[in-house]
Amino acid sequence: MRGWMFGAALAAAVLGASAPRAMAQQAAPSGTLTVYTSQPSDQMAEVIKLFNASYPDVKVELFRSGTTEVMNKLQAEFAAGGAKADVVLIADAVAASQLKKDGRLQPYAEAKVGSIPKSLVDPDMSWFGTKLITTGIVYNTTLVKAPPKSWKDLLAPEAARSTIMPSPLYSGAAAIHIGTLVQQPGFGWPYVETLAKNGAVAGKGNGSVIEAVARGEKAYGIIIDYMTYNAKAKGSPVDFVVPAEGVSVISQPVAILKGTRNPEAAKAFVDWQLGEASQRQAVAQGYYPVIPSVEAPKGYPPVSSMTLMSADPAAMMAADEAMKQKFAELFGG
């Protein structure tokens, strides 16, 4: 009898000891996670590979396009009964704030924000900045011997005729840039109108800008920083200018959509994006990190050396549709 009781007690102890491990295994994120993003496809392939090194049981399905098209797809899905995405990783806080305003985001109060600047985290913990990306000027080094120093250097007819920019009808970064620029004293819509009047053109996304300038089809472009630095590192005859007046900034926020079918994997993806491994990968891909323990990419000017243009996100969000309509009138849709 005593032997039976000892055996039962031992079995219970073993089962009790193994239960937390079993529970931990059950709690590990698994299943399918659908991510909608504006980050370039080749970079996202690397992101998914590194994420799966930590979470091998999560299958990531991806939809990738410009932020505006990502938002349009989401709106169509909301209207049809619900989004297919679990997580969004999009260019700008204005788009994320719009989703929050519409009640489409699921707050994640326990997100591991650590030392990330408060300005990059939604006060209600609905979205979280994952990178710092600035917009400045790219130029072709074989065509331009005296690089521009100012945004206003692009207004001269000979410069404007050889300038290309991304369209806010496609690119979230472009929407932030134009939205920021028109709020700046001494710029406003007259600056954008003069660019158009003097011959500047709009491509689609930032990729169309770097391609045109790298090939020498255009001498100048308005573009996000890392695309220039990446192209330069691969041998393209391009370089980047931080204009004297300052640069607009986006933070590529990540957010969980309300109604996600895989909340545990979604939370894991958010925390992973904000962690050191992901931030080091972001630096390798050419982005400024958002945590101070990770250094900026080699050769990038320090953020402290730049003027970061300020803008009112609420005003930008309210004027978004009108801004895009006016831009289309000036540059075509």
Side-chain angles (χ1 to χ4, degrees):
M1 180 70 175
R2 286 195 298 271
W4 179 87
M5 293 178 63
F6 176 77
L10 180 61
V14 170
L15 287 171
S18 63
R21 288 195 294 271
M23 290 177 64
Q25 289 173 352
Q26 291 172 359
S30 61
T32 299
L33 181 73
T34 302
V35 179
Y36 285 10
T37 185
S38 60
Q39 190 167 342
S41 298
D42 58 338
Q43 294 185 359
M44 284 305 298
E46 296 174 355
V47 167
I48 293 168
K49 182 178 179 180
L50 190 60
F51 174 73
N52 280 147
S54 296
Y55 298 97
D57 295 329
V58 178
K59 179 184 178 183
V60 180
E61 294 186 348
L62 197 68
F63 171 76
R64 190 273 156 196
S65 190
T67 291
T68 300
E69 289 193 5
V70 169
M71 292 290 284
N72 289 342
K73 181 175 175 66
L74 285 171
Q75 294 301 334
E77 291 178 353
F78 293 143
K84 298 176 182 178
D86 299 293
V87 169
V88 289
L89 179 64
I90 46 181
D92 61 86
V94 172
S97 296
Q98 182 64 59
L99 289 171
K100 175 188 171 183
K101 179 175 178 287
D102 294 342
R104 303 299 187 181
L105 299 184
Q106 178 176 303
Y108 179 22
E110 300 82 17
K112 298 176 182 178
V113 294
S115 57
I116 296 171
K118 290 184 178 180
S119 61
L120 302 182
V121 177
D122 172 56
D124 297 319
M125 301 291 279
S126 293
W127 54 260
F128 313 89
T130 63
K131 305 169 182 70
L132 279 179
I133 307 168
T134 69
T135 292
I137 300 171
V138 58
Y139 67 95
N140 184 295
T141 56
T142 63
L143 299 178
V144 178
K145 301 307 176 187
K149 298 179 180 179
S150 162
W151 288 114
K152 295 181 179 178
D153 290 343
L154 299 181
L155 294 179
E158 61 273 17
R161 283 193 298 270
S162 196
T163 295
I164 182 171
M165 69 184 76
S167 169
L169 305 179
Y170 179 81
S171 164
I176 290 294
H177 179 66
I178 297 297
T180 299
L181 209 60
V182 299
Q183 290 188 27
Q184 304 306 306
F187 285 87
W189 276 110
Y191 176 85
V192 184
E193 290 165 353
T194 303
L195 273 178
K197 176 184 175 182
N198 288 349
V201 299
K204 201 173 183 183
N206 283 273
S208 67
V209 174
I210 194 63
E211 289 169 8
V213 176
R215 289 196 298 255
E217 296 168 9
K218 295 292 182 180
Y220 309 96
I222 296 172
I223 197 170
I224 51 179
D225 49 30
Y226 75 87
M227 283 197 171
T228 301
Y229 292 122
N230 286 353
K232 180 181 178 181
K234 293 177 181 177
S236 293
V238 295
D239 213 341
F240 189 74
V241 172
V242 176
E245 302 95 338
V247 291
S248 61
V249 178
I250 57 176
S251 60
Q252 199 170 59
V254 64
I256 301 172
L257 284 174
K258 188 175 288 184
T260 170
R261 292 171 296 279
N262 197 340
E264 294 309 313
K267 291 175 182 178
F269 188 80
V270 169
D271 286 335
W272 181 83
Q273 279 282 331
L274 304 178
E276 189 163 309
S278 177
Q279 289 293 297
R280 290 193 182 283
Q281 182 185 60
V283 168
Q285 292 177 335
Y287 298 100
Y288 285 103
V290 297
I291 57 177
S293 61
V294 178
E295 293 184 1
K298 185 177 181 180
Y300 280 38
V303 173
S304 59
S305 71
M306 298 181 280
T307 298
L308 304 182
M309 290 180 171
S310 61
D312 180 355
M316 203 181 298
M317 186 167 59
D320 185 63
E321 286 305 317
M323 178 273 289
K324 290 174 181 174
Q325 182 177 345
K326 186 171 181 64
F327 188 92
E329 291 170 356
L330 292 172
F331 293 93

